[in-house]
Each structure stands twice: as C-alpha cells, then as structure tokens.
Amino acid sequence: MKHIAPAIEPPAQRRHFVAPDARGFDHVTTWIFDLDNTLYSHEAQVWPQIDDRITLYVANLFGIDGISARALQKHYYHRYGTTLRALMTEHAIDPHDFMDFVHDIDHRHIELNAALGDAIQRLPGRRLILTNGSRKHAEAVAAKIGILDHFEDVFDLADANFTPKPNREAYDIFLERYAIDPAKAAMFEDIAKNLRAPHELGMTTTLVVPRTTDPFRDAFEQEAVEEPHINYITDDLAGFLAGFLAGFLAGHLAGSPAERTPA
C-alpha cells in the first residue's frame, strides 16, 4: 500500500491528490456525501461523544465496567464493521433505541462552515447524504454546519435496513431508492474501505482525510493512502469543492494528475 504525505501540514499547506487514472467529475449529476468526519473536522468533537455513548450503551447492556465495555465495543467493531451490527446479530437489540442513545450528544462545538455550504450549493445536480448514523443526527449536525438545506435528502442506517457501509447492499438500496446511475455519481467519504463498493459500481470517489491526527479514531481510518478504488484524496473538502473541483468542472484544470495545492 503506497502512502502519500500524512495530513498533518500547517494550514498553508492544504493539499489534494489525484490518482493518475482518476475518473473525472464532468459527467457527475449526483453528489453523495458521508456525514461523520467528512462534512466536519474532528475539532467539532462529535465522534468522541458518539464513541463514548456507544461504550456506555455496551456497559449498561451487559452490566460491565467501562474498560471492559470499551474492549468489547472495539472487538465488535473490528469483527462486524459496526458495534450496532454486532449487537443486533448476537443479542437482538432494538437498533432504534441504540441509535437514539448514542446520538444524544452536545452540538456546541460544531461551527457554521459558510465556505463548505457555498461550495456544496454550487455543485450541479442532486446532492445527498449517505450515513451510517441516524437521520436525526445527520440533520442536526448538517443544520449546525449550515449545509442541510443544500441537500435533497438524508439516507440513514435505518433506510438501509441497518446494513452499514461498506456492505454493498447498503449502496444498492440507496441507489435504487433515489434512482441513481452510479456511473454519473461521485462519493465523498472519510474511510477508505467505504469507497470500495462505490468505485466498483462506477462512481468517482474522493477520500477526505483529517488535517491533523484525531486521537479518538483508529489510525487506519485516517490514512491518506493511494489505493485503486480511490480517485482523489483531500484534507480540505471545502477547498477541494470550491477551487480544485470547480476548476475541473470548468475545464480549466491544468498540469499533470498529481498532488496539487489550489490557488
């Protein structure tokens, strides 16, 4: 696996990576965005709260201490992809109760992102959020960022029959729900493995990585790595959409496909 520069540069060094054989965006009519750690940075302190709430749920469910619950939670996550999928499979819990509990968080650190909102609003075509979280959570967070009104709809885990990304079934249900041609769609995600199925389906894929290391997430979830199913990598989604991608759409993107810093 070939690594590009870690996303830990100072603010002036924001970078975008383009795979040599990257699919373009000129044909895209549907823009699909993950929510958590994609449409906001980890400084918003959203995911650490959710992660802690999952640990608390596991502790309460089994009557165990926090350290034991944390270990079990991570075991489930790595085995099933999500803790919820494990709890549904092995313990038949009510997924709606779980989702309500873990997304009961404080939104005070989420900031308005006018630049991102403007960039998303300018994208030609349909815009949708595809999340492993709940609709209520996604709408609350997107509203705080100031981007909710720019999206046609939110497709959440319940809509996917609680089958999470990266399972192919989740994407198939999503595409059928909105009658989307994946060959005319683009997907933006923060976890590389969640872009494998979209790429296989024909989507243009972009991996959104953090600019600084998030201590609350596994290292593999933050890697800016070059893989065949990833067309683009950026540590600045708003800048990518407003500058780099806008130039691509306008047909003014010059130079060879490589790492670039937009003007």
Side-chain angles (χ1 to χ4, degrees):
M1 186 176 292
K2 182 180 176 182
H3 291 252
I4 67 170
I8 55 174
E9 302 97 352
Q13 298 298 316
R14 296 179 179 177
R15 302 169 76 177
H16 308 305
F17 175 83
V18 187
D21 58 348
R23 295 167 177 163
F25 293 95
D26 55 320
H27 64 293
V28 173
T29 58
T30 303
W31 308 84
I32 307 161
F33 293 83
D34 171 55
L35 175 76
D36 291 314
N37 298 307
T38 297
L39 291 173
Y40 61 81
S41 69
H42 64 83
E43 285 82 8
Q45 299 181 33
V46 172
W47 182 249
Q49 295 185 71
I50 296 174
D51 205 25
D52 285 346
R53 296 287 290 175
I54 295 173
T55 303
L56 181 58
Y57 185 95
V58 173
N60 292 341
L61 180 65
F62 297 108
I64 56 179
D65 63 85
I67 295 177
S68 299
R70 186 73 172 179
L72 182 58
Q73 171 192 348
K74 293 307 176 184
H75 166 72
Y76 280 152
Y77 173 73
H78 290 291
R79 181 177 179 183
Y80 286 90
T82 66
T83 304
L84 173 58
R85 189 172 181 86
L87 294 176
M88 290 176 62
T89 301
E90 296 195 7
H91 304 284
I93 69 159
D94 183 338
H96 299 282
D97 288 345
F98 176 91
M99 297 291 274
D100 288 343
F101 184 89
V102 303
H103 290 123
D104 183 14
I105 63 171
D106 184 350
H107 297 101
R108 75 177 69 181
H109 296 290
I110 303 173
E111 297 182 350
L112 181 71
N113 191 336
L116 179 61
D118 182 66
I120 291 174
Q121 185 178 28
R122 292 175 182 272
L123 293 174
R126 306 169 71 188
R127 292 159 245 139
L128 296 153
I129 292 175
L130 169 56
T131 177
N132 275 350
S134 70
R135 174 182 293 270
K136 182 179 178 181
H137 167 65
E139 290 179 344
V141 172
K144 285 283 289 185
I145 299 170
I147 60 176
L148 180 59
D149 291 342
H150 304 323
F151 287 96
E152 174 184 331
D153 201 5
V154 172
F155 183 91
D156 71 355
L157 191 57
D159 292 321
N161 299 325
F162 293 99
T163 301
K165 298 176 291 183
N167 293 277
R168 172 68 177 264
E169 181 183 349
Y171 302 96
D172 289 339
I173 296 172
F174 169 78
L175 294 171
E176 182 177 2
R177 165 76 66 87
Y178 299 103
I180 296 170
D181 178 357
K184 297 180 180 179
M187 180 79 194
F188 297 80
E189 251 285 350
D190 68 297
I191 299 178
K193 66 179 181 179
N194 289 354
L195 289 172
R196 191 176 303 278
H199 184 269
E200 292 173 352
L201 286 162
M203 298 186 201
T204 298
T205 58
T206 301
L207 179 66
V208 181
V209 296
R211 304 211 54 234
T212 58
T213 301
D214 182 353
F216 295 98
R217 299 176 64 203
D218 289 334
F220 81 90
E221 295 180 329
Q222 305 181 62
E223 291 182 315
V225 296
E226 180 184 344
E227 296 182 344
H229 64 284
I230 296 173
N231 298 135
Y232 302 87
I233 303 174
T234 181
D235 61 10
D236 174 22
L237 180 59
F240 183 83
L241 296 177
F244 181 82
L245 181 52
F248 199 118
L249 291 170
H252 299 307
L253 191 61
S256 61
E259 293 183 37
R260 301 185 179 92
T261 301

